[in-house]
Amino acid sequence: QVQLVESGGGLVQAGGSLRLSCAASGRTFNNYAMGWFRQAPGKEREFVAAITWSGGYTYYTDSVKGRFTISRDNAKNTVYLQMNSLKPEDTAVYYCAGRRTYDGTWNRPGVYDQWGQGTQVTVSS
């Protein structure tokens, strides 16, 4: 198992940028595909982006395509989410998650094995 710790959240004006980081403990980070989810108050947890084990493929929800970029550095046991052109509707707690198996889907929270504690992102208008 890996333990995941997110950082990099904060308050930013609309149109601004933030980079989230998710640091993983343990020596098996490259056995995990990684994802980012977010949850706004009163809403369900929502898929944002995912990246495969080697980083060769990435997946995004439509609302963030062209604005967010997921990447990973397996040597540093870290996955990143670069968020540009932020909008107030991006405000949420952002969680990173890891999974060791693949079932053909990327956007279901239930298929991820490990979760971080979350980091708050607030975008002001």
Side-chain angles (χ1 to χ4, degrees):
Q1 290 186 348
V2 294
Q3 291 186 326
L4 305 174
V5 179
E6 302 97 334
S7 61
L11 174 64
V12 64
Q13 289 187 334
S17 298
L18 283 174
R19 188 176 82 154
L20 304 184
S21 299
C22 174
S25 64
R27 295 178 291 178
T28 60
F29 179 67
N30 59 353
N31 290 343
Y32 286 79
M34 300 298 296
W36 285 96
F37 288 75
R38 64 188 180 188
Q39 189 166 18
K43 294 188 177 181
E44 294 185 352
R45 193 165 295 191
E46 172 192 30
F47 171 75
V48 176
I51 188 166
T52 54
W53 293 258
S54 64
Y57 293 92
T58 57
Y59 305 88
Y60 299 93
T61 192
D62 286 346
S63 63
V64 308
K65 285 180 181 177
R67 300 189 298 123
F68 290 11
T69 302
I70 188 172
S71 62
R72 67 188 295 162
D73 185 339
N74 285 348
K76 295 182 178 180
N77 281 9
T78 303
V79 62
Y80 305 97
L81 185 68
Q82 178 66 45
M83 305 186 295
N84 298 329
S85 302
L86 282 161
K87 304 175 181 180
E89 51 263 45
D90 295 318
T91 294
V93 177
Y94 282 70
Y95 299 89
C96 71
R99 60 185 296 184
R100 288 178 291 181
T101 58
Y102 177 62
D103 69 344
T105 67
W106 292 102
N107 62 347
R108 296 192 299 121
V111 301
Y112 289 80
D113 308 304
Q114 302 295 325
W115 290 84
Q117 83 289 348
T119 186
Q120 176 70 46
V121 172
T122 303
V123 184
S124 63
S125 57

